[in-house]
Amino acid sequence: MWDEGTPKSILMFICIFLTSFLFSPSTVKAQVSVEAVIDSIQIFVGQQAHVTLTATAKESAKMEFPQFKPTEYITPGVEVLDRKELEQQPQDNGFVSRRMVYTMTSFDDTLYYLPPMTVKIDGKPYKSKSLALKVLTIEVDTLHADQFFGPKDVQDNPFQWSDWSLPFWLSVLMLVLLAIGYCLYLRLRDNKPIISHIRIVKRLLPHQKAMKEIEQIKADKMVSSENSKEYYTKLTDTLRKYIEERYGFNAMEMTSSEIIDRLMSTKDQKSLDELRQLFTTADLVKFAKYSTLINENDANLVNAIEFINQTKLENVPVEEMVKPQLSEEDQRSQRTRRVLKYFITAIAVVCLMIFGYVVFVLYSLLG
């Protein structure tokens, strides 16, 4: 059986429990709230104060903070200069706090009442507490006006070497580089270039040269001359030069038999027999003092012409490109000129870059 005091004790316990639950810190903290805090309650004329407006609500709640245009008055005499939202802070039970900082100023010295600021949360307005702002002015001693000075004229900035040192030394460096470049230019001008031209030379073919020599022999009437040794020496030398240029071996330094043996693999036997007969007769005349007849001289001349006509090459270019051969000193001179040109070009580019930078710095300092 319950006595009469028992229900009262139970009721009191339930009331205390509900009160402690409803007003516990976690429960109070999880409620929707709007708070306003000012960083300084008094400022001098023209200084700035910052009001931080904090709204706490569910994370999904839509919050609308007060909007102020630049230089709009929150209250007559206090201007709102700017607003800036800070990073939101999470709270317990899915709540978050969003903060907006308003920058304010005033130019009249008085105590201002800042009305409550309203934040709409899910369309429902919530107001903060009101604030106060005291604006102070600097007292001026008007009784002693002699301690004040009138407006000053426009004055130049004081000279500072640190501002001018870089363009100064860069200008000195540019002048030094220009002097070096000028010296290199004089060196390049005194060192005259070597002009080499590729020449196209028309040359006679081997058989043309040989026939020209034979025509000269005929013009000198060496065939009928009594000096057979001179005639055969001239004739065989002409054939040796032709064979050397035509076949590419040193026939001038070879004996008659060696020349014939070398030609055995390329020519027919009949023409080689006639050539062998010619060389044999020439050797007899030159070394054995053999005397020949005019008919025999004519026959050998005809054999020489026949051999040339049978072995000549017709379809051969008659123009030859001759490239000049520079001496070692000329090649060294060309390399020197090339290096001088590279250095002069590099110096010119660096000087242009330095000049542009110096002009830019001077314009910045004097502007």
Side-chain angles (χ1 to χ4, degrees), residues 59-90:
E59 186 175 4
S60 59
K62 181 180 179 182
M63 302 183 188
E64 298 180 17
F65 285 84
Q67 303 286 335
F68 294 96
K69 298 179 180 179
T71 68
E72 182 180 352
Y73 289 94
I74 187 174
T75 190
V78 179
E79 299 179 18
V80 179
L81 302 178
D82 188 21
R83 73 185 191 114
K84 179 181 179 182
E85 184 174 1
L86 303 180
E87 184 178 357
Q88 65 181 14
Q89 295 179 343

Side-chain angles (χ1 to χ4, degrees), residues 302-362:
V302 172
N303 291 336
I305 296 173
E306 185 69 19
F307 174 77
I308 293 171
N309 289 330
Q310 290 181 358
T311 58
K312 65 181 180 180
L313 294 177
E314 294 287 354
N315 299 324
V316 178
V318 296
E319 292 184 351
E320 182 180 4
M321 183 181 296
V322 179
K323 296 183 179 179
Q325 297 294 329
L326 299 180
S327 64
E328 184 177 352
E329 183 179 356
D330 292 339
Q331 294 178 2
R332 185 165 54 251
S333 178
Q334 280 190 338
R335 289 194 297 268
T336 302
R337 288 183 58 83
R338 194 177 300 114
V339 172
L340 288 176
K341 289 181 180 179
Y342 289 156
F343 272 108
I344 292 174
T345 303
I347 289 174
V349 172
V350 173
C351 287
L352 285 176
M353 294 174 63
I354 293 176
F355 178 76
Y357 180 76
V358 169
V359 170
F360 171 75
V361 173
L362 293 179

